[in-house]
């Protein structure tokens, strides 16, 4: 038990304690509400019943509503169907990684040299990360139209999602070891893909471009438009070089009819365009269509960078500017040169939020930034310069990552993106750092002895359990939880409805798979009593089966003429011919045969049927399973057989057996717990008389 | 031509940056019931005069009771649907039904109804050949002078038990004799909710009671439940954990969930959390002082008592707590009470309990 926390302390409700979020619960009832009822349904769904105070005036009013609240940590950005696709799709990468982890673990037991942080392991994690990432939508592969519209500067990407953006961050920083050397450039790419996600809360470079794109068609002399230059500079600041060059080439001086008059001007535009497209980049490669020159090694990059900067500086000081008559072009181009020279003021003015400024710093002011510590310092500086109006979940995550605080990263994943994200991101996190590995696998008393990794998997499994279409994949995550997974799986299975056979079979299959015998036998007992016998047999519930057998004896023992004979005959048939499932049932089988023969005799069929009935009677009386209280009813039913007119049907041996049983019965009647059969009072004596007569007749016959 | 930013206040920016990081740190204290999307919505509409409701084990059937003594059963067409309609109504009593409780699924489809005259009725769904489903009275627990306040069923490996708490402070435990017949119950024990078993409190008058069985379903699991009263007799009020002593065939109080100074507090509700692998049990107890979370040790100490520790006292609903329910993993507690709200409570990574979300019903 956790001893060190403040036992019995009142949870502080001072001003600083955070207030919980209050969500409206819409029920559509007219007030007054008299009471509420609550009940957890499957997984994370809570059902709230709202009862209305009945009023006298109206007759047909509603008395209450039941409302379901699903606490699944979903934000509505992604549709239900898409979520299920992601949930199902992530099962196999997750399971594959677990099985690889297990085989790695067993390998490292053999040789201490193998550690899960081996190169090979990284590749597995990266493969996993890419598999997951591909489920979240394809960001980069946009189909390009055959005829390219020169005025379409901004390609219409499929709507990017915050979830995908978050996953890419995790992948870049933790899973992809190769990208560690060029993290700033990866962030440049990342912002290019996801800058639009910030547009909903504030202006972004992306939203500026989108706005300008709309105006573009109607603009006659584009270079006269101040917005043209502003938008280009902004795009340049965040490194969207291809867009900037494309926009530059829309400059009026390129038009054939003007080329003669505006030669110098055009030369300057083209010079800037060339400088932009030759920008040295510290990265292994660039996607097709993206501009810049890649350098893998830092010394080569530095050399190229210096040279490039020298060229810009040279152009900046050149005399051609004086000959450029178009004022906007001159100012606009020189502004762009200032950006490339890393003028802080210009960068700060042209970017909208801190992340854009941050990227601009990487590109033009501190291109040699390496290491998370300096990246974190720079981020703090940019946040200072451009404070966020409202916090954004992606920014929270990025700050956590840069701050190298695993707990914050986890919390941001969980808070911002929900249980699916955190469960799957943990795999990437633990592979990325020993600190995370320790933190996530440490068993905590406060969590009832489980690790954080297990906690998050349990929470995710609970979310999966809430939906009838996803509960079936919850066991995969639960079985990866060593301590409490099975406990929750049992609960989950127990709470599945069993009135539907298909579902029940699925349920049993899961039980078989995970060897949950006690659960399967329990759930087989649910539901309607009548349909239960088969399942009880499957569950090997001897106690209940014997009770059923007893009940049937009671109803069966009364009379052979009963209408319900057909009913229980069918029921016995249903029980199958397997002997030994329960002693009582074996007796019922024989008893059925016996009664059937007796019925045939009554219906007029003769000696053969009678002989069969005698066979059955003898085997019943011999069988130790036959309850003693049935002996007399059986014999009483057989009076006709014992007094068979044509000839005695029982031989001496058989008659003696029955007489012995009768004797035993007479002694048993003296015991207090004896149950008297529901028969006429003279039943015993008439049986005794019949047996004595039969003995006489058969003795005579045998002689 | 170029838009200028407003002059920066570097201090303000720094404060914000600090704020962001501090917020991130705070969130590191971890809330795993994170962003709540309230989806779903209306799933059933109840008749006028409905007073109580209860979902069955899998949430596929809803039983409601009303002021005119009608029991209504709601079903959904298939397991993936979450729309429930009333398919059956039976008049089970002349007066009002105050509470409905489902019998555990192993024992068929049946409900216990507590009625306004204090009687307790068991109604069972019967399928007879070629006849439509019918609900029939299978047992009536009559009592002349006292009223049943709460009833709960507990399943042990051998049998089904029923605990009923009465308005005179008595507790009766009944046992089902035959697992197939819900008719035959035997009174196994009768006692008062007091640690001292010798004294009898004859003139106790109780307003309400709350019972919660240990929900564990293991083979070797013994029977135990927790019970608290809201009464005028201080000794009966505090919640006690009762455990069945197989060897001597008797019920024993093994723990009291109240600090010495709180023992006379009226108890509104108790809830025993599911335990999927914790080394201790968690029980919530609501009194007018708030909702207390207790850890109860698994193994008895030398005197036969279980060790108990109150780990939190939550502010609750500022008055009466109507109901408390633990989720399927036993980590989130949902409560509702006289402030008309539904609140969710969880413990964070440091073991500190706090409210995580609240729901306010609105038209």
């Amino acid at each position: 038990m956790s001893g060190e926390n403040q036992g019995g302390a009142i949870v502080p409700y001072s001003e600083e304690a955070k207030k919980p979020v209050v969500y409206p619960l819409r029920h559509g009832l007219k007030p007054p509400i008299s009471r509420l009822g609550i009940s957890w349904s499957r997984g994370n769904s809570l059902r709230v019943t709202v009862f209305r105070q009945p009023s006298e005036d109206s007759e047909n009013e509603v008395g209450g509503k039941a409302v379901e609240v699903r606490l699944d940590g979903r934000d509505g950005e992604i549709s239900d169907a898409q979520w299920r696709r992601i949930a199902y799709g992530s099962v196999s990468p997750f399971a594959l990684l677990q099985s690889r982890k297990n085989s790695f673990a067993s390998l490292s037991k053999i040789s201490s040299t193998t550690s899960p942080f081996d190169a090979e392991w990284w590749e597995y994690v990266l493969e996993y990360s890419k598999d997951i990432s591909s489920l979240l939508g394809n960001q980069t592969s946009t189909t390009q139209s055959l005829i390219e519209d020169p005025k379409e500067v901004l390609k219409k990407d499929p709507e990017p999602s915050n979830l995908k953006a978050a996953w890419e961050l995790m992948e870049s920083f933790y899973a992809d070891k190769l990208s560690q050397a060029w993290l700033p450039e990866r962030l440049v790419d990342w912002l290019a893909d996801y800058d639009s996600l910030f547009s909903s809360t504030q202006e972004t470079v992306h939203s500026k471009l989108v706005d300008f794109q709309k105006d573009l068609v109607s603009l006659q002399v584009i270079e006269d438009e101040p917005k043209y230059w502003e938008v280009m500079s902004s795009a340049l600041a965040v490194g969207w070089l291809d867009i900037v060059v494309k926009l530059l080439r829309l400059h009026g001086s390129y038009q054939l009819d003007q080329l003669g008059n505006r030669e110098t001007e055009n030369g300057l535009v083209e010079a800037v365009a060339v400088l932009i497209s030759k920008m040295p980049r510290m990265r292994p490669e660039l996607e097709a269509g993206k501009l810049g020159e890649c350098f893998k090694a830092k010394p080569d990059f530095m050399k190229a960078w210096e040279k490039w900067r020298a060229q810009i500086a040279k152009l900046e000081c050149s005399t051609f500017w004086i000959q450029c008559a178009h004022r906007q072009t001159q100012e606009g181009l020189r502004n762009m040169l200032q950006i490339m020279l890393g003028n802080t003021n210009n960068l700060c003015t042209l970017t909208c939020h801190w992340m854009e400024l941050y990227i601009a710093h990487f590109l033009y002011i501190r291109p040699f930034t390496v290491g998370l510590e300096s990246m974190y310092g720079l981020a703090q500086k940019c946040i200072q310069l451009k404070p966020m109006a409202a916090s954004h979940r992606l920014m929270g995550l990025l700050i956590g990552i840069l701050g190298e605080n695993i707990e914050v990263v986890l919390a941001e994943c969980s808070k911002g993106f929900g249980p699916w994200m955190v469960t799957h991101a943990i795999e990437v996190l633990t592979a990325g750092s020993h600190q995370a590995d320790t933190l996530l696998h440490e068993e905590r008393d406060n969590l009832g002895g489980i690790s954080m990794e297990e906690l998050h998997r349990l929470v995710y499994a609970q979310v999966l359990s809430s939906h009838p279409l996803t509960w079936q994949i919850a066991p995969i995550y639960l079985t990866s939880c060593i301590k409490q997974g099975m406990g929750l799986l049992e609960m989950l299975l127990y709470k599945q409805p069993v009135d539907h056979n298909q579902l029940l079979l699925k349920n049993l299959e899961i039980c078989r798979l995970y060897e949950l015998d006690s659960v399967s036998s329990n759930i087989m007992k649910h539901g309607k009593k009548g349909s239960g016998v088969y399942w009880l047999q499957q569950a090997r519930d001897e106690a209940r089966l014997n009770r059923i057998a007893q009940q049937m004896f009671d109803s069966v023992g009364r009379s052979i003429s009963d209408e319900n004979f057909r009913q229980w005959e069918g029921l016995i048939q249903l029980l199958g011919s397997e002997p030994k499932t329960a002693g009582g049932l074996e007796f019922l089988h024989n008893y059925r045969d016996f009664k059937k023969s007796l019925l045939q005799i009554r219906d007029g069929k003769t000696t053969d049927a009678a002989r069969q009935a005698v066979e059955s009677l003898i085997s019943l009386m011999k069988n130790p399973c036959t309850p003693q209280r049935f002996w007399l009813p059986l014999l009483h039913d057989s009076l006709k057989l014992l007094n068979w007119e044509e000839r005695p049907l029982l031989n001496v041996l058989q008659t003696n057996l029955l007489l012995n049983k009768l004797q035993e019965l007479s002694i048993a009647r003296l015991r207090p717990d004896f149950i008297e059969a529901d028969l006429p009072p003279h039943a015993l004596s008439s049986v005794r008389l019949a047996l004595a007569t039969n003995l006489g007749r058969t003795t005579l016959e045998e002689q | 031509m170029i838009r200028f930013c407003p002059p920066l206040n570097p201090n303000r920016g720094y404060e914000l940056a600090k704020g962001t990081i501090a917020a991130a740190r705070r969130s590191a204290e971890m809330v795993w019931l994170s962003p709540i999307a309230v989806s779903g919505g209306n799933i059933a509409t109840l008749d006028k005069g409905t007073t109580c409701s209860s979902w069955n084990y899998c949430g596929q059937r809803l039983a409601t009771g009303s002021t005119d003594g009608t029991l209504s059963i709601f079903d959904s067409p298939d397991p993936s649907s979450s729309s429930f309609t009333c398919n059956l109504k039976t008049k089970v009593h002349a007066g009002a039904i105050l509470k409905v409780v489902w019998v555990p699924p192993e024992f068929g489809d049946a409900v216990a109804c507590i009625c306004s005259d204090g009687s307790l009725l068991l109604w069972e769904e019967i399928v007879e050949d070629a006849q439509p489903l019918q609900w029939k009275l299978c047992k009536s627990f009559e009592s002349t002078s006292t009223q049943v306040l709460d009833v709960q069923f507990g399943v042990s490996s051998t049998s089904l038990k029923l605990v009923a708490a009465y308005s005179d402070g008595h507790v009766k435990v009944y046992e089902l004799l035959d697992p197939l017949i819900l008719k035959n119950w035997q009174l196994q024990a009768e006692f008062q909710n007091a640690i001292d078993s010798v004294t009898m409190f004859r003139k106790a008058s109780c307003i309400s009671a709350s019972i919660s069985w240990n929900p564990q379903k293991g083979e070797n699991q013994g029977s135990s439940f927790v019970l608290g009263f809201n009464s005028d007799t201080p000794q009966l009020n505090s919640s006690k954990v009762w455990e069945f002593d197989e060897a001597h065939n008797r019920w024993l109080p093994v723990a009291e969930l109240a600090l010495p100074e709180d023992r006379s507090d009226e108890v509104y509700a108790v809830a025993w959390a599911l335990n999927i692998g914790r080394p201790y049990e968690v029980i919530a107890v609501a009194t007018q002082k708030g909702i207390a979370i207790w850890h109860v040790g698994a193994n008895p100490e030398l005197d036969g008592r279980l060790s108990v520790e109150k780990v939190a006292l939550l502010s609750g609903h500022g008055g009466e707590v109507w109901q408390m329910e633990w989720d399927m993993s036993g980590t989130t507690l949902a409560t509702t009470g006289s402030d008309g709200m539904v609140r969710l409570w969880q413990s964070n990574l440091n073991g500190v309990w706090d409210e995580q979300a609240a729901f306010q019903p609105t038209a």
Side-chain angles (χ1 to χ4, degrees):
Chain A
M1 210 174 285
S2 51
E4 59 293 332
N5 54 48
Q6 320 82 32
I10 294 176
V11 167
Y13 259 75
S14 54
E15 281 84 5
E16 59 186 281
K18 70 180 170 66
K19 284 256 151 57
V21 190
V22 177
Y23 299 89
L25 191 71
R26 289 195 180 80
H27 51 71
L29 286 173
K30 269 185 280 169
I33 301 304
S34 62
R35 208 180 167 90
L36 300 176
I38 45 177
S39 171
W40 289 96
S41 180
R42 279 175 295 186
N44 265 0
S45 52
L46 181 69
R47 285 175 179 170
V48 181
T49 320
V50 185
F51 299 103
R52 203 177 161 268
Q53 191 98 57
S55 58
E56 296 305 314
D57 48 330
S58 63
E59 267 306 299
N60 295 326
E61 67 184 11
V62 171
K65 289 264 167 115
V67 183
E68 188 163 53
V69 182
R70 278 226 304 272
L71 314 168
D72 49 11
R74 298 234 323 262
D75 61 353
E77 188 188 32
I78 293 169
S79 72
D80 279 9
Q82 173 75 354
W83 255 114
R84 285 199 290 277
R85 205 181 62 82
I86 293 172
Y88 271 90
S90 36
V91 167
S92 74
F94 179 83
L96 179 64
L97 193 72
Q98 299 309 314
S99 87
R100 281 176 169 167
K101 203 183 275 179
N102 291 340
S103 47
F104 253 84
S106 54
L107 259 181
S108 60
K109 266 181 209 150
I110 301 162
S111 77
S112 56
T113 49
T114 344
S115 119
F117 299 98
D118 273 0
E120 203 184 337
W121 181 246
W122 280 99
E123 279 165 31
Y124 288 150
V125 174
L126 187 58
E127 184 187 327
Y128 161 80
S129 176
K130 298 252 186 245
D131 285 348
I132 298 283
S133 182
S134 68
L135 290 168
L136 306 177
N138 275 334
Q139 197 53 52
T140 41
S141 67
T142 46
T143 45
Q144 292 189 351
S145 62
L146 284 174
I147 307 156
E148 211 171 286
D149 179 0
K151 292 207 166 179
E152 194 204 40
V153 287
L154 202 64
K155 298 243 164 50
K156 276 200 194 87
D157 277 337
E159 281 294 295
S161 73
N162 283 295
L163 191 62
K164 169 105 175 163
W167 189 268
E168 298 243 311
L169 279 181
M170 299 297 286
E171 183 176 297
S172 309
F173 283 91
Y174 300 107
D176 193 351
K177 206 179 184 183
L178 296 173
S179 77
Q180 303 298 310
W182 52 287
L183 275 173
E185 278 281 352
R186 278 206 71 154
L187 284 178
V188 173
D189 291 355
W190 184 85
L191 189 75
D193 285 340
Y194 301 109
D195 195 40
S196 60
L197 293 173
F198 305 104
S199 303
S200 57
T201 48
Q202 64 177 115
E203 191 181 36
T204 61
V205 173
H206 184 269
S207 67
K208 279 199 211 176
L209 269 166
V210 171
D211 289 345
F212 184 65
Q213 168 93 59
K214 284 178 208 145
D215 303 341
L216 201 55
V217 212
S218 54
L219 289 177
Q220 291 302 320
V221 187
I222 196 168
E223 60 273 22
D224 287 351
E225 187 61 40
K227 218 177 164 190
Y228 170 65
W229 295 102
E230 189 199 327
V231 163
M232 265 198 303
S233 304
S234 290
L236 180 63
V238 292
W240 302 349
L241 308 183
D242 49 329
I243 291 174
V244 180
V245 169
K246 201 170 177 183
L247 279 170
L248 272 177
R249 301 251 157 88
L250 296 175
H251 194 274
S253 65
Y254 280 100
Q255 284 174 20
L256 287 174
D257 55 337
Q258 297 190 21
L259 209 54
N261 308 335
R262 303 170 74 176
E263 203 174 352
T264 315
E265 193 186 340
N266 183 251
L268 283 167
V269 175
E270 186 56 22
V272 172
V274 169
L275 275 172
I276 289 171
S277 47
K278 296 255 178 229
M279 180 178 176
R281 314 284 295 262
M282 173 79 177
R283 55 190 294 158
E285 60 193 358
L286 272 165
E287 236 178 272
K290 303 280 178 198
L291 301 175
E293 287 189 348
C294 301
F295 295 90
K296 275 182 201 161
K298 202 176 172 188
D300 297 342
F301 170 69
M302 283 170 84
K303 234 193 299 182
W305 172 262
E306 294 303 331
K307 199 175 142 201
W308 182 67
R309 287 291 277 253
Q311 285 170 335
I312 297 168
K314 203 172 141 196
L315 181 64
E316 162 71 9
C317 308
S318 96
T319 49
F320 289 114
W321 297 110
I322 305 156
Q323 297 164 39
C324 177
H326 195 257
R327 188 182 56 83
Q328 282 97 330
T329 302
Q330 191 206 21
E331 277 177 13
L333 289 178
R334 294 185 88 165
N335 239 326
M336 289 166 84
L337 291 184
Q338 282 305 310
I339 286 170
M340 289 191 278
L341 288 171
N343 182 319
T344 318
N345 283 340
N346 283 26
L347 291 177
C348 193
T349 319
L350 287 161
T351 50
C352 303
H353 62 93
W354 76 263
M355 182 75 190
E356 289 171 352
L357 180 62
Y358 187 50
I359 294 302
H361 267 83
F362 284 138
L363 286 167
Y364 305 109
I365 300 175
R366 291 162 66 173
F368 309 113
T369 307
V370 280
L372 286 178
E373 206 179 328
S374 51
M375 286 174 77
Y376 183 59
L378 184 57
Q380 278 187 304
K381 196 181 151 197
C382 292
I383 295 172
Q384 261 179 56
L385 290 167
K386 282 198 181 290
M388 286 181 286
S391 65
H392 193 281
R393 49 190 168 149
L394 283 171
M395 295 297 97
L397 178 61
L398 182 64
I399 290 167
I401 292 174
L402 294 173
E404 294 179 87
N405 189 335
I406 297 295
E407 278 177 305
V408 176
V409 174
L410 264 183
E412 290 293 337
C413 276
S414 155
K415 202 174 64 167
F417 305 96
W420 174 89
M421 176 70 177
V422 72
T423 303
H424 291 90
I426 279 174
E427 300 303 321
V428 175
L429 257 177
T430 48
S433 93
H434 284 280
Q435 185 210 343
D437 194 55
T438 323
L439 182 87
L440 284 159
H441 292 129
E442 177 197 346
E443 286 172 1
R444 287 155 190 265
D445 285 347
N446 285 332
L447 300 179
I450 58 170
S451 66
M452 273 165 76
E453 179 186 73
E454 180 159 342
L455 172 77
H456 286 295
R457 285 183 189 166
L458 291 172
V459 171
Y460 178 55
Q462 218 171 323
V463 170
L464 288 174
S465 317
S466 320
H467 200 281
L469 294 177
T470 53
W471 75 269
Q472 303 175 25
I473 53 180
I476 295 168
Y477 292 88
L478 288 172
T479 46
S480 72
C481 298
I482 309 157
K483 292 217 152 176
Q484 300 189 351
M486 281 300 166
L488 193 60
L489 182 56
E490 285 184 26
M491 280 316 304
L492 166 63
L493 292 170
Y494 186 82
K495 281 179 167 278
Q496 292 304 317
V498 293
D499 289 345
H500 304 265
N501 267 337
Q502 225 179 337
L503 203 61
L504 181 61
L505 290 175
K506 175 85 202 169
N507 228 338
L508 294 177
E509 175 66 16
I510 293 172
C511 291
R512 196 187 55 76
L513 215 60
Y514 301 114
E515 294 169 353
L516 291 169
D517 289 346
S518 64
V519 180
S520 61
S521 42
N522 243 324
I523 54 183
M524 281 189 269
K525 291 178 215 159
H526 292 191
K528 300 207 168 52
K529 205 155 66 181
S531 66
V533 179
Y534 172 73
W535 294 115
L536 288 173
Q537 278 192 333
Q538 294 290 311
R540 297 184 199 288
D541 187 336
E542 298 281 332
R544 278 188 171 80
L545 279 174
N546 276 328
R547 267 303 306 161
I548 291 182
Q550 291 291 324
Q551 268 190 345
M552 284 168 77
F553 297 164
D554 290 347
S555 64
V556 155
R558 278 174 205 135
S559 157
I560 53 160
S561 62
D562 255 353
E563 268 305 301
N564 63 13
F565 175 70
R566 300 247 171 266
Q567 278 172 26
W568 65 259
E569 190 188 12
L571 196 52
I572 294 168
Q573 202 73 46
L574 184 95
L575 293 175
S577 52
E578 258 179 84
K580 292 268 172 250
T581 40
L585 292 178
E586 194 188 342
F587 158 73
L588 279 174
H589 272 279
N590 291 334
Y591 193 57
R592 176 196 56 182
D593 295 344
F594 170 65
K595 287 248 166 170
K596 218 193 253 169
S597 314
L598 281 187
L599 276 175
Q600 281 174 348
I601 296 165
R602 204 186 51 184
D603 294 348
K605 287 181 194 137
T606 47
T607 317
D608 277 349
R611 280 194 187 286
Q612 212 141 46
V614 169
E615 290 297 313
S616 299
L617 174 67
I618 297 299
S619 84
L620 274 170
M621 295 302 284
K622 270 184 180 166
N623 194 331
C625 290
T626 306
Q628 197 179 45
R629 64 193 171 102
F630 270 80
W631 293 358
L632 192 57
L634 276 169
L635 291 168
H636 193 252
D637 279 348
S638 312
L639 276 176
K640 200 173 177 183
L641 297 172
L642 302 178
N643 295 323
W644 201 251
E645 276 177 33
E646 292 169 29
R647 41 170 303 227
L649 293 173
L650 289 89
N651 61 29
V652 178
L653 225 67
Q654 289 168 328
T655 320
N656 276 330
L657 172 90
L658 297 186
L659 276 169
N660 283 337
K661 290 278 179 190
L662 207 62
Q663 186 61 26
E664 224 178 290
L665 200 62
S666 309
I667 296 165
R669 286 179 79 175
L670 302 173
R671 289 209 308 266
D673 59 342
F674 183 81
I675 306 160
E676 199 71 58
D678 186 19
L679 287 171
H682 54 84
L684 186 72
S685 51
S686 39
V687 170
R688 189 174 285 137
L689 182 65
L691 279 174
T693 317
N694 189 76
L695 185 64
R697 285 170 68 195
T698 191
T699 315
L700 282 175
E701 198 168 81
E702 280 177 24
Q703 272 171 354
Chain B
M1 149 174 127
I2 283 167
R3 193 175 51 87
F4 284 93
C5 285
L8 288 170
N9 172 353
N11 286 331
R12 183 175 158 260
Y14 180 65
E15 285 305 311
L16 265 165
K18 251 185 19 188
T20 314
I21 290 153
R25 288 260 157 72
R26 261 205 309 282
S27 66
E29 280 170 16
M30 262 280 316
V31 177
W32 54 83
L33 185 107
S34 46
I36 296 175
V38 185
S39 53
N42 235 329
I43 52 174
T45 301
L46 314 180
D47 284 341
K48 183 182 174 181
T50 305
T51 51
C52 53
S53 70
S54 172
W55 291 94
N56 75 343
Y57 73 103
C58 61
Q60 288 297 304
R61 299 194 102 183
L62 173 69
T64 66
S66 74
T67 44
D68 64 355
T70 304
L71 172 72
S72 306
I73 304 293
F74 290 69
D75 290 289
S76 76
D78 68 281
S80 60
S81 159
S82 58
S83 162
F84 297 83
T85 47
C86 180
N87 291 326
L88 202 129
K89 281 183 196 179
T90 312
K91 178 104 171 159
V92 301
H93 193 253
I97 304 174
L98 303 179
K99 184 168 180 143
V100 190
V101 180
W102 283 91
V103 168
E106 294 93 323
F107 298 87
D109 279 277
V111 292
C113 301
I114 298 175
C115 302
S116 54
D117 66 347
S119 62
L120 174 64
L121 309 173
L122 271 187
W123 281 74
E124 189 184 15
E125 186 180 65
I126 307 279
V127 193
E128 274 169 337
D129 310 272
Q131 277 180 37
L133 285 180
Q134 266 184 305
W135 282 77
K136 283 191 172 167
L137 178 69
C138 62
K139 172 77 184 173
S140 169
F141 297 84
E142 312 230 342
S143 57
T144 44
S145 56
T146 63
Q147 301 206 320
V148 176
L149 299 176
D150 193 15
V151 63
Q152 293 295 333
F153 294 94
V155 185
S156 74
S157 52
T158 49
S159 68
L160 176 67
K161 289 191 172 86
L162 174 159
V163 188
Y166 290 82
S167 56
D168 59 356
H170 278 251
V171 184
K172 288 183 187 172
V173 183
Y174 291 89
E175 195 170 21
L176 187 63
L177 290 174
D178 177 336
L180 297 170
I181 302 171
L182 281 172
K183 218 181 282 180
N184 301 337
W185 293 86
Q186 189 177 48
L187 182 65
Q188 189 194 39
E190 181 172 358
F191 47 88
Q192 283 188 318
N193 190 37
I195 293 284
D196 167 17
S197 57
V198 183
T199 323
M200 279 291 277
F201 304 98
R202 297 208 179 276
K203 282 179 186 161
S205 164
C206 308
I207 303 160
S208 70
S210 181
I211 306 163
S212 181
W213 280 87
N214 177 351
Q216 213 56 19
K217 290 184 180 47
E219 292 272 308
N220 312 316
Q221 194 70 34
S223 300
S224 50
F225 62 87
V226 60
L227 165 68
F229 273 106
N230 177 0
S231 80
D232 62 354
T233 310
Q235 293 89 334
L236 297 180
N237 282 342
S238 69
S239 306
K240 283 118 194 155
V241 176
W242 292 88
E243 197 169 89
F244 189 61
D245 171 12
E246 296 275 354
H248 303 96
N249 204 32
R250 61 184 175 168
W251 287 88
L252 293 174
V254 289
E256 184 172 14
L257 305 181
L259 300 178
E261 64 270 27
D262 300 332
R263 284 194 179 140
S264 56
D265 291 353
E266 291 91 355
V267 171
Y268 297 132
V270 291
W272 194 314
L274 282 157
N275 185 354
I276 55 170
R278 262 186 265 104
Y280 50 85
E281 297 293 331
V282 176
I283 298 174
V285 177
T287 65
Q288 86 268 19
K289 286 180 182 148
I291 298 165
I293 306 290
W294 289 83
H295 284 185
V296 180
N299 298 312
E301 290 169 357
L302 285 175
D303 60 354
R305 297 290 178 84
L306 302 176
S307 65
V308 295
E309 186 191 5
K310 184 175 171 183
V311 295
L313 180 62
L314 307 164
S315 61
H317 293 266
E320 197 187 339
V321 173
W322 292 330
Q323 202 187 347
M324 300 197 290
E325 294 282 322
W326 288 95
D327 73 334
M328 71 186 275
S329 63
T331 53
T332 308
L333 177 70
T335 64
T336 180
S338 52
D339 61 353
M341 301 279 281
V342 176
R343 300 181 189 276
L344 301 179
W345 313 84
Q346 269 184 347
S347 136
N348 70 8
L349 277 187
N350 302 325
V352 178
W353 282 83
D354 203 357
E355 185 174 359
Q356 303 300 340
F359 298 96
Q360 177 149 43
T362 54

